[in-house]
Amino acid sequence: LFGRIVGALLPLLGRVRGARPDTLYLALRRIRGSRAIAVSLLVGAALPCGLLVYAGGVSDGVRHEITRKYQTNLGAPQVLNIVGLHEATPNLHGRATAVVRYATAFAGSGNDQVSVLGVDPATFDRFAYTTAAQRAAVRLLASTDSGVPAIVVNAPSGFTAAAVQIGASQLKTHTVGRADVFPGLRNGAFPMLVVNRAALTHIDPTAERDNEAWTGADQSEALSGVIVRAGYSTLGEVDSKVLLSSTGLLPVTWIFGYLRALALMIGAVAVAGLVFGLGARTRRRALSYVMSRRMGLTQRTHLLSLVIELGLVVGLGFLAGVAAGVGAFRVILGALDVYPSLPPAAALDLSVPTLVVTGAVMCLVIAVAAVATHLGAGRAHPAEVLRVE
C-alpha cells in the first residue's frame, strides 16, 4: 500500500519548480521516469528492514523481558535459603548480603496482604540486581527517623502502610520511596514493603519467615563454606537457570537463534533484489547515459546523482520498513508477556543495535550500488548501445 501511494505521488516530482542542482535534477528525473523500478527498490528495501526490525524487536524484547523477570524474582545471581539466621546482621564475611522475607503480612486500613523484605542497606547494592533509582531508595532505609523507613513496591498509588502486622508484632513504617518492581518481588499479586533488616530483629519469632543470602555466582562456593563453618544449614540454592527451567521460560529463549538466522536470510535476499533491480535499470538507462555524456555530463555529477537517487528511494524504504516493524512489534506487545504472573510486564524494547546495523548496511548498499551502477554505465560503448537501440 505504501509503495502504491508513493508511486501515485511520483509524477508530482515533475511539477517542482525552482533552481535545483544538476545531481538532484537527474536523480528526481530518473525516479519519476522509472516509477516501477523506483517503487520496487523502495518496497525491496522496506520489506527486509521491517522484518529485521520486527525480528530484532521480538527477539530482544522477549530476552529482556525474561531477564527482567528472573532478576526481579530472584533478586541476585545466586539465592541461598538458610536456616538459623536470626541475628540482625549475620556475619557473611562480605560474601553475600543477608535478606529476610515475611511472605504473609497485613497492612493498610483494609488489612491488605503484603510481603515484607528486610535488606541490609550497607551490602544490598553489591549483590542485588538494582537500578540507580533503586539504589538511591535503599540508601534511605538507613535513616533513623521516627518509624521504620519503607519502600512500597507493586502497590496502587493510594496504598499506605503506616502499620504492618507480622504475626503478633506490629511494625510502624513511613514511606520513603515507591517502585513498580524491586529485586525479590516473588509474587506480583500483592504489594511488597522493603525495610531495613535491622528493624525486624524484634518481630514475633513464631511468624513464618525465610532467611536468604544473596550473592554473586563467583562467591557462591565460598559462601557455602562460610555458612557451614558458622553452624547454619542451607535448604536450597536458586539461580537463573533453575528459575528459567522451573517457570516455563526456558523454551522461549530458543527462538532467538531462529529469528536472528531468519533476519540474516532476509537481508541477503534484500541485497540480491537491489542488485537485480539496479541491473535492470542500468541496462534500460544505458542510452540516456551515453547521450548525456556527449552533452557534457561529468562522471562526478552522474555518480552523485546516483547516490542521491538511491539514497532517496532506499532511505525512504528503510524508514517505511522501520515504521512497519516497530508498529507490528507494538501490536503484538501484549502477547509477548510469556509469563504474566511474574513481574514486570512486557515493555516496548526496540533493538537499537539492529536499527544501527540495518541503517549502516543500507548506507553501504547505497554507496556500493551507486558506484557499481556508475561503473557499469561507464563501460557502455556508444556505438554498440546505439546499434542495439
Side-chain angles (χ1 to χ4, degrees):
L1 177 61
F2 182 74
R4 287 181 178 273
I5 293 174
V6 172
L9 296 177
L10 284 180
L12 298 178
L13 293 177
R15 301 180 183 179
V16 178
R17 304 300 181 187
R20 283 170 286 177
D22 295 342
T23 53
L24 180 60
Y25 172 79
L26 292 173
L28 296 179
R29 288 283 296 180
R30 281 196 297 265
I31 293 174
R32 191 171 68 91
S34 303
R35 285 193 294 173
I37 294 179
V39 172
S40 298
L41 292 177
L42 186 149
V43 175
L47 180 61
C49 288
L51 291 176
L52 281 167
V53 171
Y54 173 76
V58 171
S59 178
D60 287 357
V62 173
R63 178 169 58 84
H64 292 163
E65 177 197 350
I66 291 175
T67 299
R68 285 192 298 263
K69 282 182 182 294
Y70 82 68
Q71 288 183 350
T72 298
N73 186 278
L74 275 178
Q78 300 278 345
V79 175
L80 280 70
N81 294 312
I82 305 171
V83 176
L85 292 182
H86 294 287
E87 60 269 31
T89 54
N91 187 7
L92 298 177
H93 298 279
R95 302 291 185 179
T97 183
V99 176
V100 61
R101 178 189 307 278
Y102 292 92
T104 304
F106 301 93
S109 57
N111 231 15
D112 299 320
Q113 182 173 340
V114 299
S115 62
V116 177
L117 186 73
V119 303
D120 180 8
T123 60
F124 188 76
D125 296 350
R126 291 177 51 195
F127 301 98
Y129 292 120
T130 55
T131 63
Q134 291 168 348
R135 289 191 290 271
V138 169
R139 286 193 289 269
L140 298 177
L141 299 182
S143 172
T144 57
D145 295 341
S146 59
V148 177
I151 304 171
V152 179
V153 182
N154 189 40
S157 57
F159 178 84
T160 57
V164 183
Q165 191 70 32
I166 306 175
S169 303
Q170 191 176 69
L171 190 69
K172 300 290 186 180
T173 67
H174 67 277
T175 302
V176 296
R178 289 181 175 270
D180 294 329
V181 293
F182 194 87
L185 179 60
R186 306 281 170 83
N187 191 339
F190 306 108
M192 182 176 76
L193 300 181
V194 182
V195 300
N196 193 326
R197 189 180 188 281
L200 302 175
T201 305
H202 303 293
I203 294 298
D204 181 5
T206 64
E208 183 178 355
R209 60 182 271 170
D210 294 321
N211 298 291
E212 298 176 349
W214 292 8
T215 187
D218 58 336
Q219 298 286 345
S220 179
E221 186 175 351
L223 175 63
S224 298
V226 170
I227 292 173
V228 171
R229 288 192 296 270
Y232 300 121
S233 300
T234 301
L235 292 179
E237 181 176 347
V238 183
D239 58 15
S240 61
K241 294 180 180 178
V242 174
L243 179 65
L244 289 174
S245 60
S246 63
T247 58
L249 294 176
L250 184 60
V252 182
T253 62
W254 298 339
I255 69 173
F256 303 152
Y258 167 73
L259 287 178
R260 280 175 168 75
L262 180 62
L264 292 176
M265 293 175 61
I266 293 169
V269 172
V271 173
L274 181 62
V275 169
F276 288 131
L278 290 175
R281 202 210 58 183
T282 300
R283 290 189 296 271
R284 180 178 175 181
R285 290 293 177 179
L287 177 60
S288 63
Y289 173 72
V290 168
M291 299 301 295
S292 298
R293 286 297 307 274
R294 295 303 179 268
M295 296 170 63
L297 177 66
T298 64
Q299 292 189 9
R300 180 178 179 275
T301 300
H302 182 250
L303 179 59
L304 289 179
S305 69
L306 287 172
V307 172
I308 293 175
E309 176 189 359
L310 294 176
L312 291 174
V313 175
V314 177
L316 185 58
F318 169 75
L319 295 177
V322 169
V326 173
F329 180 33
R330 181 65 183 86
V331 167
I332 70 160
L333 181 61
L336 289 181
D337 201 345
V338 294
Y339 207 82
S341 62
L342 281 179
L348 184 63
D349 287 326
L350 297 181
S351 179
V352 176
T354 299
L355 290 173
V356 173
V357 171
T358 304
V361 170
M362 287 293 104
C363 292
L364 179 62
V365 168
I366 290 172
V368 172
V371 172
T373 304
H374 173 71
L375 294 178
R379 286 194 299 267
H381 195 278
E384 293 180 359
V385 172
L386 294 174
R387 188 181 303 116
V388 171
E389 294 294 334

